[in-house]
Amino acid sequence: MTAPVAWSLAWSEDGELAPQDRFDLLQSLVQTESQDVQPSLIAAVEVMELTEVSGSHCTSVTRLWA
């Protein structure tokens, strides 16, 4: 999985990263960060509501957690 392209990210009016882009970014960070940082990133993914990431690709998620 490649990191999201910064200029293609969607932002809400209150300055937050769009849920799908936040999920994609967290996924790419989990793959690249040290083992000390990975648990906190995984925890951040786990607290996201499923409705926020409804458009995610299940194969990528499965591969990440496998």
Side-chain angles (χ1 to χ4, degrees):
M1 170 182 242
T2 59
V5 179
W7 57 85
S8 68
L9 299 175
W11 302 90
S12 65
E13 289 182 18
D14 61 358
E16 292 292 322
L17 192 58
Q20 183 61 50
D21 287 335
R22 186 170 51 244
F23 179 76
D24 293 342
L25 179 61
L26 286 169
Q27 268 194 306
S28 64
L29 288 173
V30 166
Q31 294 177 9
T32 60
E33 286 296 327
S34 68
Q35 290 182 354
D36 294 338
V37 176
Q38 287 176 344
S40 61
L41 294 170
I42 292 168
V45 170
E46 289 175 341
V47 298
M48 292 184 73
E49 294 183 30
L50 289 177
T51 55
E52 291 181 324
V53 292
S54 61
S56 64
H57 301 286
C58 292
T59 56
S60 297
V61 173
T62 303
R63 187 179 72 239
L64 176 65
W65 301 116

